[in-house]
């Protein structure tokens, strides 16, 4: 008997999850596939998920027509952190003589050595791997690395999955976009009806922007959401700040939404919209979170002693996937490299901005200069502390 186990947050389940499940049933000749929503994923302990009930129900809807597939609430009933080795133990007790497969994508395969008790997992179940937007030849390399590390191989699911994430669905739903193509009509309707990822007034705010600017705002939100949890930042705060950050960018100066707004003196024209955006977000759309408003207020110029959210929005605005200025790839590489801090990338980004302004013969806005000097001092002090502790 062949049993597959497909664990995850499923917040929400999307069509790539469903296609992977169907491909696994076929490729592995499964008698049964269990979809297991986690209670608290180990790698997302600080992340706020949708309710257990909503995620279970979305899974039931999404996988309803997938052959030989059943949604299990075992991890949710267990509570606590949902470790894979514990779930494998449960299924081994239920199916002592079955061949167990734990389904993963290639992204999780590469993280597998960091999981809790990986050797025990492999003593209970084989990994079954699905490619996620991989280049040809990935199988040989990954098998070589995996067998060298664990002295066993993994099964292949014959399906090349698209690079779709639940984070993308949440951001698009928050922006008021149609997510049917990503999750299917029934799951999309459940999300809409229960307002799962809704952020009030985002659609209204985005419609104030030109289409190209609106697309940029959504890309900023996608970038910010992807990395928020890694830095201990609330995803909802990050997405809210990103989706509203340019809400005044295309407003005429005589717009009723700007009634009562006065920018600080001496602000360059290219920077005014950050102050106007914070004003409109607060007074027209009711955003009261001071940290979100500050992230909007300084997303173009930066400032000294920025919050983590402020740093993330500043960098997301500068580095989102649509940006193509000279040097952007180096800055993105610096962002991805420094997983424990945003400071090094922020320093490089501010340095790049000041150099660009100097090359263009333009005066740097004082807040940007102060932001650069502050973060340069912070990095220097951090380096000195590390040196003294050696």
């Amino acid at each position: 008997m062949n049993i597959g186990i497909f664990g995850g947050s499923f917040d929400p389940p999307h069509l790539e999850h469903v296609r992977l499940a169907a491909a696994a049933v076929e490729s592995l000749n499964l008698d049964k596939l269990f979809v297991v929503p986690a209670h608290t994923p180990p790698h997302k302990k600080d992340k706020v998920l949708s309710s257990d009930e909503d995620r279970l129900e979305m899974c039931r809807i999404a996988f309803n027509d997938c052959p030989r597939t059943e949604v299990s609430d075992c991890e949710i009933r267990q509570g606590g952190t949902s470790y894979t080795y514990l779930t494998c133990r449960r299924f081994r007790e239920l199916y002592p003589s079955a061949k167990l497969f734990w389904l993963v994508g290639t992204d999780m395969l590469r993280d597998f050595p960091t999981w809790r008790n990986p050797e025990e997992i492999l003593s209970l179940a084989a990994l079954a791997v699905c490619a996620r937007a991989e280049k040809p030849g990935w199988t040989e390399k990954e098998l070589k690395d995996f067998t060298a590390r664990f002295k066993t191989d993994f099964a292949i699911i014959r399906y090349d999955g698209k690079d779709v994430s639940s984070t993308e669905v949440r951001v698009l739903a928050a922006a008021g976009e149609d997510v049917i193509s990503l999750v299917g009509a029934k799951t999309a309707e459940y999300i809409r009806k229960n307002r799962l990822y809704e952020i009030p007034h985002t659609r209204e705010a985005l419609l104030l922007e030109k289409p190209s600017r609106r697309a940029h705002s959504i890309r900023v939100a996608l970038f910010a959401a992807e990395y928020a949890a890694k830095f201990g930042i609330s995803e909802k705060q990050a997405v809210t700040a990103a989706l509203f950050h340019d809400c005044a960018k295309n407003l005429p100066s005589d717009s009723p939404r700007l009634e009562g707004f006065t920018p600080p003196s001496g602000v360059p024209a290219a920077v005014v919209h950050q102050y106007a955006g914070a004003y409109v977000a607060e007074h027209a759309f009711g955003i009261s979170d001071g940290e979100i408003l500050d992230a909007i207020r300084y997303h173009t110029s930066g400032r000294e002693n920025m919050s983590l959210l402020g740093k993330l929005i500043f960098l997301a605005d500068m580095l989102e996937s649509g940006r193509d200025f000279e040097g952007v790839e180096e800055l993105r590489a610096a962002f991805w490299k420094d997983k424990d801090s945003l400071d090094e990338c922020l320093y490089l980004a501010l340095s790049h901005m000041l150099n660009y302004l100097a090359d263009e013969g333009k005066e740097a806005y004082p807040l940007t200069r102060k932001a650069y000097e502050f973060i340069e001092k912070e990095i220097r002090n951090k380096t000195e502390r590390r040196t003294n502790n050696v």
Side-chain angles (χ1 to χ4, degrees), residues 57-75:
E57 186 57 29
M58 284 191 288
C59 282
R60 293 183 184 115
I61 293 169
F63 293 95
N64 182 62
D65 296 325
C66 193
R68 286 170 267 164
T69 300
E70 177 181 324
V71 177
S72 169
D73 65 353
C74 66
E75 288 191 349

Side-chain angles (χ1 to χ4, degrees), residues 91-105:
F91 278 94
R92 175 53 66 206
E93 290 171 1
L94 289 170
Y95 300 96
S97 61
K99 174 72 172 177
L100 299 184
F101 295 93
W102 187 276
L103 276 58
V104 296

Side-chain angles (χ1 to χ4, degrees), residues 35-231:
V35 174
V36 186
H39 180 268
T40 303
H43 59 296
K44 299 179 182 178
K45 288 183 179 179
D46 299 322
K47 190 168 185 175
V48 177
L49 298 174
S50 298
S51 72
D52 295 340
E53 293 75 16
D54 282 327
R55 290 184 296 118
L56 276 169
E57 186 57 29
M58 284 191 288
C59 282
R60 293 183 184 115
I61 293 169
F63 293 95
N64 182 62
D65 296 325
C66 193
R68 286 170 267 164
T69 300
E70 177 181 324
V71 177
S72 169
D73 65 353
C74 66
E75 288 191 349
I76 285 173
R77 282 189 288 104
Q78 179 69 24
T81 303
S82 302
Y83 289 113
T84 298
Y85 78 96
L86 294 175
T87 303
C88 286
R89 284 181 186 176
R90 291 189 202 103
F91 278 94
R92 175 53 66 206
E93 290 171 1
L94 289 170
Y95 300 96
S97 61
K99 174 72 172 177
L100 299 184
F101 295 93
W102 187 276
L103 276 58
V104 296
T106 42
D107 53 341
M108 289 191 289
L109 173 69
R110 294 177 184 119
D111 287 340
F112 183 71
T114 69
W115 292 17
R116 180 73 64 90
N117 300 343
E119 286 82 5
E120 181 178 356
I121 294 170
L122 294 174
S123 73
L124 298 165
L127 291 192
V129 181
C130 171
R132 288 192 65 184
E134 297 291 337
K135 295 179 180 178
W138 72 269
T139 309
E140 292 77 9
K141 180 185 182 305
E142 297 299 338
L143 269 172
K144 180 180 178 181
D145 293 346
F146 190 83
T147 54
R149 171 68 175 79
F150 294 108
K151 308 300 186 262
T152 188
D153 59 7
F154 53 75
I156 303 293
I157 300 169
R158 294 188 297 274
Y159 178 69
D160 188 4
K162 297 177 183 177
D163 192 12
V164 176
S165 71
S166 294
T167 301
E168 179 182 358
V169 178
R170 292 193 298 273
V171 168
L172 293 176
E177 297 290 301
D178 186 348
V179 296
I180 289 176
S181 64
L182 297 177
V183 300
K186 292 181 180 178
T187 304
E189 175 59 18
Y190 185 91
I191 291 169
R192 186 200 64 76
K193 183 178 178 181
N194 292 278
R195 306 168 77 172
L196 292 190
Y197 311 113
E198 180 180 272
I199 296 174
H201 304 298
T202 50
R203 187 63 178 165
E204 186 180 354
L206 288 168
L207 286 173
L208 297 178
E209 301 172 17
K210 295 177 181 178
S212 60
R213 181 57 47 177
R214 186 158 64 245
H216 159 75
S217 293
I218 291 173
R219 290 194 301 269
V220 173
L222 288 167
F223 188 107
E226 186 68 30
Y227 295 100
K230 296 181 181 179
F231 298 105

